[in-house]
Amino acid sequence: RHARDYTCRMAAWTRCGRPEVALRLFAEMAKRGLDRDVITSSAAISACAKNGKWKRALALLDEARSSGLEPTVITYNAA
């Protein structure tokens, strides 16, 4: 599966109020060796933020920056 497929699935689970599934998919990407780009990271951050998991959202934002990703306006809006 490609990063875009994961991102779409993560967004769908977020809309369903199931951020834990979205975050599980995000973790699965790393296990499968798929690159987690700024769009996918933004989806994970959004999953947390939209479901009241603010500390986790901010931790993911820091993680994205630490891994060399350049957050976008969309990323910051998600957090």
Side-chain angles (χ1 to χ4, degrees):
R1 295 185 179 134
H2 296 95
R4 184 180 305 171
D5 296 331
Y6 274 89
T7 304
C8 290
R9 291 171 57 207
M10 289 168 59
W13 282 112
T14 298
R15 284 191 298 276
C16 292
R18 300 286 306 275
E20 70 281 357
V21 179
L23 293 174
R24 203 172 318 134
L25 290 168
F26 188 64
E28 183 180 309
M29 289 181 72
K31 289 179 187 173
R32 291 181 180 235
L34 296 172
D35 287 333
R36 298 188 300 184
D37 61 14
V38 70
I39 296 169
T40 305
S41 294
S42 296
I45 292 166
S46 178
C48 295
K50 288 181 179 176
N51 290 282
K53 300 183 181 306
W54 295 103
K55 287 182 182 181
R56 180 68 175 133
L58 293 174
L60 286 171
L61 179 61
D62 286 341
E63 186 179 307
R65 281 187 279 196
S66 295
S67 70
L69 293 177
E70 185 67 36
T72 64
V73 171
I74 293 169
T75 309
Y76 286 112
N77 283 336

